[in-house]
Amino acid sequence: MRILYSVDIPVSYVTQFSSNVHLLAEQKVSRLLPAVMREDVTGESWAVEITGGIDAPNEINERHGDTPLNNTPQTRRWGFIRDYDVADLIDKQDRVKMLIQLDSVYTMRHAGTMGRGMDDSIISALYATAITGHTGTGTTAFPTSTQQLASGSTGLTIDKLNRAKEILDGNEVDEFYPRFFAAGSRQMRELLEDDKVTSSDFNTVKALVQGQVDTFLGFKFIRTERLISTSSVRNCFAWAQPAIRFGTAMSPNSTASPRPDKRYASQIYTCGSWGALRTEDEMVVSVLCSEA
């Protein structure tokens, strides 16, 4: 089916004898936003203070001794606000020739565009190099040696899910934090085909794939088709909610106004400003899945 753009509006003229608009399949809202921590931001950047812990207490082995001072690890990570928009035109002449009003349709489509953009920012933050330091001059790359599971020429398996859970547990990630797993439709199907799925697991996994339940092994699953694939290897992610901060400087909003420079066509304009950052590497596990 050919996708129709605003320049194709004449196909919807009354001569089509139809007042219905067919909305092509697309992701209509952000799916990952409920899985991260959110905060309002003023300005073009914001910082998150990261305070570590002292591994073990000091042993007292003398009376009236001096009080030792322990240096609590303290660092800072930075997020940066980016601006986004999308716009389209509806000619005045088109309005009198059409049986449909596209204003609300375009607004709804723009909302989907912005939602997908938010998900792209969150996915990038899960793996991108973090900006660190008191003034934001340092960088910290994602630690693939400890926080990434190799594809092993296999797709998503129960074993990989267990290993991802093991990494988070081994890092002492609080189990009270909600945990999430982002995977594509192919990875969801592969879970059912995993030889290690036991009879007791099968019904749970089948229900998961069918959307009847959304949690398995402590992970709330989120299906998204926007995860990056390189050389037929899809980068899926497991994480705890505090791992990602999503800052919003301006929530997406839409306006409609005439454009004098475009023969007073109505412009549907949607814009928003946001950014995302990874606060703690130990709370994120990259799970590579082969799609070869």
Side-chain angles (χ1 to χ4, degrees), residues 148-150 158-168 285:
Q148 185 173 77
L149 299 177
I158 300 298
D159 180 61
K160 286 183 178 180
L161 292 179
N162 275 312
R163 290 167 62 196
K165 181 180 184 301
E166 179 186 15
I167 291 175
L168 294 180
V285 179

Side-chain angles (χ1 to χ4, degrees), residues 60-75:
I60 301 174
N61 50 30
E62 61 178 325
R63 298 185 69 244
H64 309 305
D66 293 337
T67 302
L69 294 178
N70 300 102
N71 292 319
T72 300
Q74 185 77 29
T75 186

